[in-house]
Amino acid sequence: MNRMSFKLKLGMMVCFCLFICLTLAFTGTINISNASDNAAMITTASRTRLIWWSLLFIAFFLVVYRNLLLKQRLAFSKSESNIVFIALLCVAAFLRLLIAPSIIGFSSDIVSFVAWSQDVAQNGISHFYGHPDKLADYPPGYMYVLYILAKWAHAIGIEYPSQGTLILYKLPAMLADLVCTYLIFSVSRKYIAPAAAIALAALYAFNPAIILNSAAWGQIDSFFMLFILLAIMMLVKGKVPLSTALFALAVLIKPQALMFGPLLLFVFIRIRQDIKTIALSVVAGLLVIVLVPLPFMIHQIHGPLSIIDLYKNTLGSYNYATLNAYNLIALVGGNWQPVSNKILFISYTMWSYFLIAASLVYCGFLYFKSKANDAKLYWIAFFFMTAVFMVMVKMHERYLFYALLPGLMSCIYFKDRRILLLFFGFSLTHFFNTDEVLANNIANIVTFNRHGVLLVITSLANTLLFIYMIKVSWDILIRNKLQPFAEIKPMSTSTNKGRLGHKERTGK
């Protein structure tokens, strides 16, 4: 099979991906132009989408895993892999452009983005915040993007509502999907075979959980995660000040970036004797935190300090144990329950604090006891983001998204099939969770579901996967016990030592 001509292999890959694209795009979509869609029709379309997208992803995963990772039946040279990747990236972009105007998205998010962009473009950046009659709970970082989108929409004559509006406001996240896919491919081909690098990139580019978030829902989690990925990449390379600045920028895009804070904390503790690096990192972070939002804050009552009030109000909202996040709390009946409610005589809040503290301690133990280099930060991020989603109160359905990209990146360095299976499992459960919430929103169905079939099954699956993840963490980082998903070449020791490098892991 390896002797197959390159043109034939490329044609097979592209045709298969185009088949996936067309099926995903036209299965279970809700067209904005059809205002007569009733709740029953939308629900049926959602179930069709859930079933078909899931089956296609399962089939896609099995084909890619077996032919490109496990057996490497479609081998590519480095130059051939570049051509194949460009073709797949074009197909992935084509898929998103098909889906974006076909699914109206999560109404409150799309409406908010459009309204904020028009507001900041018409009234100016310095007058955007501070109006009690306007809910603007996103920090200033993404408002710059919305400002550009509003100017662009005005220049080319796009009006809301329209399919053009859907494409335009989903575009930043869709482009971020493609950039993240490129970074996965670019990094992975340095450590694994070209075919395996294509496989990992394809599993992200054609992942229904990723596609749903950007092209269907219209959220900006991919855009936000691009900066988180770059920040972790800089940490792995030993560029701590630059990483800190990128983390600070991510916090200014979405406050959820604070959940990645332990990664910086662990590195600061480890290099605590390098006062210069720590000082430069703190200064870099503070400069970003102060300068980027400054144009938005100069006319506010408290000036630049108004950013603190914005974050306090944002983080203090949604006082529920879980908000449609199918996690451990939802499994015990906590969906849409007040955080003060008790289970086994202890409030959800206190259970959450205890379990997340235990998860943080476990992550710290893994980080400081493992002999792997700082590429282990990808796995720490994967584990901790999953833990946050599983046990923290106030979790939304989308927050498991933040674990997927670090999870796939950790596959590159550890090359362990169990990590890939965890990524696959959480991708499916996250898709089930977010697709149901999106479908209810499109159908205008308001539900405070606590014991639904999909909720219970998905929450249970997530809980079992998380328990398995605890064991895998111990095996990989403490016992140095790996289960490679393919024949691999040893990791280069010259490209990854850096200032922060530990003794390199070969997995042997």
Side-chain angles (χ1 to χ4, degrees):
M1 188 66 103
N2 288 339
R3 297 178 181 176
M4 186 186 302
S5 71
F6 169 65
K7 290 183 179 180
L8 181 57
K9 289 187 286 187
L10 175 61
M12 290 173 59
M13 291 287 294
V14 172
C15 288
F16 181 63
C17 290
L18 279 173
F19 168 74
I20 297 290
C21 282
L22 294 174
T23 309
L24 287 178
F26 295 106
T27 301
T29 58
I30 306 297
N31 196 299
I32 187 175
S33 63
N34 190 359
S36 63
D37 281 337
N38 57 42
M41 291 173 60
I42 295 173
T43 302
T44 300
S46 170
R47 290 173 180 171
T48 303
R49 179 175 63 240
L50 180 69
I51 294 170
W52 277 107
W53 285 26
S54 301
L55 291 176
L56 281 170
F57 184 59
I58 292 170
F60 185 68
F61 177 82
L62 292 175
V63 170
V64 168
Y65 179 75
R66 183 171 181 83
N67 292 285
L68 296 181
L69 288 172
L70 186 62
K71 301 295 184 182
Q72 295 189 6
R73 292 177 175 175
L74 296 179
F76 299 101
S77 68
K78 190 171 182 178
S79 60
E80 289 175 344
S81 69
N82 291 335
I83 297 174
V84 173
F85 174 74
I86 292 172
L88 294 184
L89 199 65
C90 291
V91 174
F94 174 66
L95 167 62
R96 284 161 172 78
L97 290 175
L98 283 176
I99 292 176
S102 301
I103 299 181
I104 197 170
F106 198 86
S107 59
S108 60
D109 287 343
I110 297 294
V111 170
S112 294
F113 292 150
V114 173
W116 292 341
S117 69
Q118 293 175 347
D119 188 333
V120 74
Q122 293 171 5
N123 301 321
I125 288 175
S126 61
H127 298 284
F128 178 72
Y129 292 107
H131 301 282
D133 59 337
K134 178 179 67 179
L135 176 63
D137 55 355
Y138 270 49
Y142 197 68
M143 297 305 164
Y144 287 107
V145 178
L146 293 179
Y147 176 84
I148 294 172
L149 293 180
K151 293 296 185 181
W152 192 5
H154 178 73
I156 60 180
I158 295 179
E159 296 182 358
Y160 178 81
S162 67
Q163 292 182 328
T165 302
L166 290 177
I167 295 175
L168 181 63
Y169 284 88
K170 293 177 180 181
L171 190 60
M174 294 191 295
L175 289 175
D177 283 347
L178 302 180
V179 175
C180 288
T181 302
Y182 167 76
L183 291 174
I184 291 167
F185 176 73
S186 177
V187 173
S188 60
R189 65 179 176 176
K190 299 176 183 178
Y191 302 107
I192 56 181
I198 292 172
L200 295 185
L203 289 175
Y204 189 83
F206 298 101
N207 189 314
I210 307 300
I211 296 168
L212 183 83
N213 188 284
S214 59
W217 187 298
Q219 249 298 333
I220 65 165
D221 293 316
S222 288
F223 187 84
F224 153 71
M225 281 303 299
L226 172 59
F227 291 90
I228 291 293
L229 175 59
L230 292 172
I232 300 176
M233 289 174 67
M234 293 305 102
L235 270 187
V236 172
K237 292 181 178 180
K239 300 179 180 179
V240 186
L242 179 55
S243 174
T244 306
L246 287 166
F247 271 121
L249 187 56
V251 170
L252 291 173
I253 296 172
K254 296 199 78 170
Q256 286 80 4
L258 294 169
M259 297 187 297
F260 290 88
L263 302 182
L264 272 177
L265 176 63
F266 294 155
V267 171
F268 282 174
I269 292 174
R270 188 172 63 74
I271 63 169
R272 58 189 177 275
Q273 295 181 348
D274 190 350
I275 303 301
K276 180 180 178 181
T277 298
I278 293 177
L280 286 174
S281 301
V282 172
V283 170
L286 287 176
L287 283 175
V288 172
I289 290 293
V290 172
L291 295 179
V292 171
L294 188 60
F296 285 89
M297 300 298 160
I298 54 178
H299 288 163
Q300 302 304 308
I301 296 176
H302 301 293
L305 296 179
S306 298
I307 190 71
I308 299 175
D309 294 330
L310 175 63
Y311 279 91
K312 285 172 61 178
N313 293 334
T314 300
L315 297 174
S317 57
Y318 305 113
N319 290 312
Y320 297 98
T322 177
L323 297 90
N324 290 324
Y326 295 170
N327 53 16
L328 180 61
I329 297 175
L331 185 62
V332 297
N335 194 30
W336 288 105
Q337 298 303 295
V339 294
S340 58
N341 281 15
K342 296 181 178 181
I343 181 169
L344 297 179
F345 310 106
I346 301 175
S347 69
Y348 285 116
T349 299
M350 294 309 299
W351 275 116
S352 174
Y353 289 164
F354 171 76
L355 291 174
I356 201 60
S359 299
L360 184 59
V361 169
Y362 185 58
C363 286
F365 180 82
L366 293 173
Y367 179 79
F368 290 107
K369 289 296 183 180
S370 172
K371 295 181 180 180
N373 73 357
D374 266 5
K376 62 191 171 187
L377 287 168
Y378 290 113
W379 174 262
I380 298 294
F382 184 26
F383 180 87
F384 190 66
M385 287 304 100
T386 304
V388 168
F389 175 81
M390 290 301 300
V391 303
M392 277 291 288
V393 293
K394 302 183 181 182
M395 287 294 104
H396 291 245
E397 65 287 322
R398 298 187 334 274
Y399 288 4
L400 186 57
F401 184 94
Y402 309 143
L404 297 181
L405 185 54
L408 195 57
M409 291 297 293
S410 64
C411 287
I412 297 171
Y413 291 94
F414 294 106
K415 310 171 187 70
D416 191 294
R417 70 183 66 181
R418 294 168 297 179
I419 300 177
L420 196 61
L421 292 175
L422 284 168
F423 169 80
F424 171 70
F426 282 126
S427 294
L428 279 179
T429 59
H430 181 55
F431 172 63
F432 295 160
N433 192 166
T434 52
D435 185 77
E436 182 174 55
V437 175
L438 176 61
N440 288 337
N441 177 265
I442 294 175
N444 292 317
I445 298 174
V446 178
T447 176
F448 299 99
N449 177 25
R450 293 182 61 196
H451 305 292
V453 174
L454 189 61
L455 181 151
V456 173
I457 293 175
T458 306
S459 299
L460 179 59
N462 278 331
T463 302
L464 294 176
L465 285 169
F466 181 58
I467 293 172
Y468 180 61
M469 195 180 201
I470 296 172
K471 178 185 181 301
V472 173
S473 299
W474 188 269
D475 283 348
I476 292 175
L477 292 181
I478 303 301
R479 297 178 62 195
N480 301 322
K481 184 179 179 181
L482 299 177
Q483 295 182 12
F485 51 67
E487 294 181 4
I488 59 176
K489 60 181 181 181
M491 186 185 298
S492 170
T493 59
S494 62
T495 58
N496 222 13
K497 287 183 178 179
R499 187 198 314 245
L500 299 179
H502 285 301
K503 184 178 179 181
E504 192 67 71
R505 174 194 295 277
T506 63
K508 294 181 180 179

